[in-house]
Amino acid sequence: MLEHQITLKDGQQIAVESGTTLQQLAMRLSARLGREAVVAKVNGHWMDLQRTVHEDAVVEFFTLADAEGLEVMRHSAAHVMAQAVARLFPGTKFAIGPVIENGFYYDFADHDFSPEEFSAIETEMQNIIRENLPIIREEISRSDALEFFRTRGDRFKVEIIEDLPADTTLTLYRQGEFVDLCRGPHLPSTGYIKAFKIMSLAGAYWRGDSQREMLTRLYAVAFAKKSQLEDHLKFLEEAKQRDHRKLGKELELFMFSEDAPGMPFYLPNGLVIRNELEIFERRLQVEAGYQEVRTPTLMNQRLWVESGHWDHYKENMYVSEADDELYALKPMNCPGHMLIYRNKLRSYRELPLRIAEYGHVHRHELRGTLGGMMRVRAFTQDDAHIFCQPNQIGREIENVLELVSKIYGVFEFPYHIELSTRPENSMGSDELWTEAESALQAALDGAGVEYRINSGDGAFYGPKIDFHIRDAIGRTWQCATVQLDFQLPVRFDLEYVGEDGKMHRPVVIHRAIFGSIDRFLGILTEHFSGAFPAWLAPVQVRVASVAEEFSGYAQETAEFLSQRGFRAEADVRPEKIGYKIREAQVRKIPYTLVVGEKERDNGSVSVRRYGKGDMGPLQLSEFAEMLAQEIAEKKLLV
């Protein structure tokens, strides 16, 4: 009998007979692996465990404890959901059902789904899991596949197959009476699927084309253990309570209107927070040697052609015509900063030149992708560009890393760093890209920071360093970015007079820390669950009188604090003090000062702090001193 040499992940080698299935191989290695393995990688290719060994191979097995195994389980769960739908609602047609973060979805047509049907679908899915149906892979020619799905009237599968070359060999996956077109791999049987839950439905255009048929997309989550599913559902509930759109409305921070989709309106409370963020960062930027500038929002098309944005980004730009010429709202601030640099002859003595701008930019995002402050069409970038000599790159990158650390440290945000390299849609020569990527990597190595490589995710004009912060409930957000650019200096013909008296080309470092200030405010709203620290809070102190006769002292107290620069207000309404305290808590105001006869007579206040409750009495001057120190040190409230 012909044998093949199998090399395992740990380097162990064993000989197996040709035709041995991967599941048999797993069982031979250990009974536990035989029970728990769900998929294998063979010579770098993913394979179902029913596949057989027919050559020497490097084999690695994965279980549901591995991310790879969990992804396969979620993929198979999508098929199980489709099978349950087919049983319950005959005539439903199937489009696609891929894996997504934490779960999967499937797109359906010809049935009007409702959330009330979720329970029935889940019950039928459990029945299919209990049936423990083997999931069987079958190879089929393109012509036979077309005939099979045309006979069933599956128009979406037919269209997918018709787009493939005539000599393509396809795979079907069969579990009981249900058959689907799929690359795989899949679980050995439906019984391996563990905990899942259908979460929501949404409309989705076939192939993402708004001119095509609207389908119904059912979203679900799936995990290897019931406890993991329960933890995820708790996380989602926590995230729902922290949703910045909900809190933004309740706390009157910002609003949106159909008259300007995806473009936030700042209400007074929200603008206080935004202004404080800018004041905070602006001070640190001045200390770091930045000069602030302001560039126009609307600029001529020829500028965007010169910068390369017109070729790489015009579908995301808002364009208008004036004076028989095309103009565009800026999606980025960089071209305007190139013009500022080019405005006069520069000397090496001026470099590094650091210019910053809180620039209002517009980008045409698809309407269906908009989401509160997290995905908008109009936002403000805390943008900066550093024009420097090549030998200054390392030090300037280190300075930016230090500035990022200072700013994120105030919010106690942990973060990790990724180095994003050349994307497919890029401009410039291979040599410049190699030089830029090497320079960024050398700067990171020189700074001694940990980072990971994110291949192909750089900007079209250069590689970048991205900072991903982690919020209070563990979600990560990409915010700060540092991009090294050898392209725009060439396109704008930027030069400086070197120490040798000759003309040289500068390098440009693009830098943003909040990124989008609007998005950062949304992140902060969710991170703090609306309970902003005192230095950011729209109202820092509310003074509540226990009865009408003490309203004068309440107003005097609020005025005393206001004159000292605090954002304070008096609540002298003829309401019970318990009601006033509860309302201040709902508004998440950091400090509520209760004043009555005793406080009025001795010039004190009874202090309540959000998240901590009653702090007892303090002299008003003592409280003001304490609050001033808390704000100066930018302490977190909770």
Side-chain angles (χ1 to χ4, degrees):
M1 178 66 71
L2 181 63
E3 289 190 340
H4 300 296
Q5 194 76 10
I6 301 300
T7 303
L8 303 175
K9 182 181 179 181
D10 61 2
Q12 177 187 356
Q13 292 187 330
I14 61 172
V16 300
E17 293 182 357
S18 186
T20 300
T21 69
L22 291 168
Q23 191 153 37
Q24 289 170 337
L25 173 59
M27 185 64 73
R28 177 176 166 183
L29 294 173
S30 79
R32 179 176 178 180
L33 184 62
R35 291 191 307 270
E36 296 183 359
V38 294
V39 71
K41 185 182 280 189
V42 180
N43 289 336
H45 300 286
W46 292 104
M47 291 190 179
D48 313 288
L49 297 186
Q50 64 182 268
R51 303 284 293 277
T52 58
V53 175
H54 57 83
E55 62 180 349
D56 292 353
V58 177
V59 178
E60 184 176 0
F61 289 99
F62 297 87
T63 72
L64 295 184
D66 301 307
E68 297 87 347
L70 189 56
E71 182 173 335
V72 170
M73 187 196 80
R74 288 167 174 161
H75 191 181
S76 297
H79 282 221
V80 169
M81 183 169 72
Q83 184 176 12
V85 166
R87 287 183 177 183
L88 294 170
F89 312 112
T92 302
K93 300 304 179 187
F94 307 92
I96 57 172
V99 173
I100 56 175
E101 184 180 9
N102 297 318
F104 57 91
Y105 70 76
Y106 213 113
D107 289 342
F108 302 98
D110 302 346
H111 178 75
D112 293 328
F113 288 89
S114 69
E116 289 71 28
E117 294 170 329
F118 291 177
S119 178
I121 298 171
E122 289 173 347
T123 298
E124 191 58 39
M125 289 175 69
Q126 291 288 6
N127 292 337
I128 295 167
I129 292 168
R130 279 194 292 270
E131 290 170 22
N132 197 24
L133 302 172
I135 303 177
I136 302 170
R137 178 181 182 271
E138 300 175 6
E139 291 190 357
I140 187 171
S141 68
R142 179 180 179 276
S143 58
D144 287 345
L146 273 175
E147 181 181 356
F148 177 79
F149 286 104
R150 279 173 177 160
T151 301
R152 300 202 325 178
D154 283 342
R155 59 188 180 276
F156 303 110
K157 306 296 182 183
V158 168
E159 183 178 328
I160 292 171
I161 297 168
E162 286 177 337
D163 289 344
L164 299 174
D167 60 350
T168 303
T169 298
L170 305 175
T171 51
L172 304 180
Y173 279 85
R174 185 185 302 274
Q175 52 200 54
E177 81 286 358
F178 181 77
V179 183
D180 205 353
L181 177 71
C182 188
R183 290 197 197 101
H186 281 281
L187 299 173
S189 70
T190 60
Y192 282 75
I193 295 172
K194 303 302 180 183
F196 65 89
K197 184 174 180 59
I198 301 174
M199 301 300 297
S200 62
L201 59 80
Y205 291 110
W206 170 232
R207 293 193 158 178
D209 186 344
S210 60
Q211 304 302 311
R212 303 295 300 275
E213 183 175 354
M214 174 66 80
L215 311 175
T216 300
R217 177 170 295 176
L218 295 188
Y219 287 97
V221 294
F223 292 89
K225 298 178 181 178
K226 184 179 179 181
S227 60
Q228 293 172 339
L229 173 62
E230 291 171 347
D231 289 344
H232 181 71
L233 296 178
K234 290 176 183 176
F235 166 82
L236 292 179
E237 182 58 33
E238 174 70 15
K240 182 179 178 181
Q241 295 304 313
R242 290 173 178 263
D243 191 316
H244 73 282
R245 290 164 294 192
K246 169 179 173 287
L247 292 170
K249 185 175 182 179
E250 293 172 356
L251 302 177
E252 298 181 350
L253 303 179
F254 41 75
M255 58 167 274
F256 291 87
S257 169
E258 281 303 305
D259 294 311
M263 302 182 187
F265 290 69
Y266 277 86
L267 304 177
N269 288 342
L271 195 58
V272 167
I273 300 171
R274 174 173 163 160
N275 287 342
E276 288 293 337
L277 289 172
E278 290 188 13
I279 291 167
F280 163 55
E281 185 185 38
R282 185 173 275 121
R283 178 179 59 80
L284 292 177
Q285 286 185 159
V286 170
E287 291 175 359
Y290 288 84
Q291 303 173 64
E292 191 167 339
V293 299
R294 180 66 55 86
T295 59
T297 300
L298 186 70
M299 290 184 274
N300 196 290
Q301 177 203 16
R302 62 176 172 267
L303 175 69
W304 306 109
V305 172
E306 186 175 9
S307 71
H309 288 88
W310 195 255
D311 292 334
H312 293 82
Y313 209 77
K314 63 183 176 183
E315 68 278 3
N316 296 102
M317 297 170 67
Y318 291 101
V319 178
S320 179
E321 187 173 339
D323 302 325
D324 298 323
E325 293 187 283
L326 283 180
Y327 288 77
L329 292 176
K330 64 178 180 182
M332 300 169 186
N333 298 302
C334 15
H337 291 190
M338 302 303 118
L339 295 184
I340 288 176
Y341 180 92
R342 200 170 66 182
N343 185 50
K344 69 174 188 176
L345 182 64
R346 304 285 180 175
S347 164
Y348 73 93
R349 293 185 179 89
E350 297 178 68
L351 304 183
L353 174 65
R354 309 178 188 96
I355 59 175
E357 177 177 10
Y358 292 97
H360 198 222
V361 300
H362 293 76
R363 299 178 184 178
H364 180 65
E365 304 285 357
L366 294 176
R367 194 178 184 113
T369 66
L370 301 177
M373 301 288 266
M374 304 307 194
R375 192 72 177 266
V376 293
R377 289 174 169 172
F379 57 96
T380 297
Q381 284 184 309
D382 61 330
D383 221 353
H385 293 88
I386 302 167
F387 300 84
C388 64
Q389 302 176 61
N391 62 4
Q392 296 171 328
I393 291 173
R395 181 56 187 159
E396 289 305 305
I397 297 280
E398 288 183 22
N399 289 343
V400 173
L401 295 178
E402 183 179 342
L403 185 57
V404 171
S405 180
K406 282 182 181 178
I407 291 175
Y408 286 175
V410 166
F411 304 102
E412 297 185 2
F413 276 134
Y415 60 86
H416 71 268
I417 297 174
E418 294 182 358
L419 173 58
S420 299
T421 58
R422 186 175 188 174
E424 290 184 13
N425 180 30
S426 62
M427 67 179 187
S429 68
D430 293 343
E431 292 77 17
L432 285 180
W433 271 92
T434 299
E435 184 179 357
E437 290 176 356
S438 298
L440 270 189
Q441 192 158 3
L444 287 170
D445 292 339
V449 298
E450 294 184 6
Y451 62 94
R452 64 187 70 162
I453 302 293
N454 186 8
S455 298
D457 200 42
F460 70 83
Y461 49 78
K464 59 179 181 171
I465 301 169
D466 288 328
F467 297 76
H468 298 257
I469 61 176
R470 189 170 73 249
D471 70 11
I473 57 175
R475 297 169 299 184
T476 57
W477 308 90
Q478 191 275 307
C479 290
T481 186
V482 185
Q483 302 169 2
L484 190 58
D485 185 0
F486 287 80
Q487 313 290 340
L488 289 185
V490 174
R491 297 183 75 93
F492 282 89
D493 195 24
L494 304 185
E495 294 181 319
Y496 66 90
V497 180
E499 194 171 1
D500 58 3
K502 297 178 181 179
M503 303 306 294
H504 297 270
R505 187 83 68 197
V507 178
V508 173
I509 299 172
H510 303 245
R511 184 238 74 186
I513 298 178
F514 294 144
S516 158
I517 293 179
D518 313 77
R519 180 169 174 266
F520 195 79
L521 175 55
I523 293 169
L524 285 183
T525 302
E526 298 194 358
H527 177 65
F528 292 122
S529 196
F532 294 97
W535 72 276
L536 279 178
V539 177
Q540 296 165 326
V541 185
R542 177 175 285 182
V543 186
S545 57
V546 299
E548 187 175 355
E549 58 264 38
F550 309 114
S551 60
Y553 180 61
Q555 290 170 330
E556 290 172 10
T557 300
E559 180 64 22
F560 174 89
L561 294 170
S562 297
Q563 289 176 352
R564 282 153 182 78
F566 302 114
R567 296 186 287 275
E569 62 184 26
D571 184 352
V572 295
R573 294 171 299 166
E575 302 284 356
K576 292 183 178 180
I577 188 61
Y579 176 85
K580 293 180 180 181
I581 291 172
R582 284 192 299 274
E583 187 180 75
Q585 294 295 294
V586 169
R587 304 294 295 178
K588 301 180 187 283
I589 295 171
Y591 286 98
T592 303
L593 306 183
V594 178
V595 295
E597 182 177 9
K598 181 173 62 175
E599 289 79 16
R600 182 193 60 188
D601 292 346
N602 60 23
S604 67
V605 290
S606 180
V607 182
R608 298 185 63 87
R609 184 174 181 180
Y610 182 87
K612 290 193 174 182
D614 190 1
M615 295 178 63
L618 281 176
Q619 289 295 305
L620 180 55
S621 57
E622 289 180 303
F623 171 76
E625 184 178 336
M626 179 192 75
L627 180 56
Q629 182 176 352
E630 180 177 324
I631 292 171
E633 296 177 1
K634 292 183 170 50
K635 292 181 180 177
L636 299 187
L637 187 64
V638 290

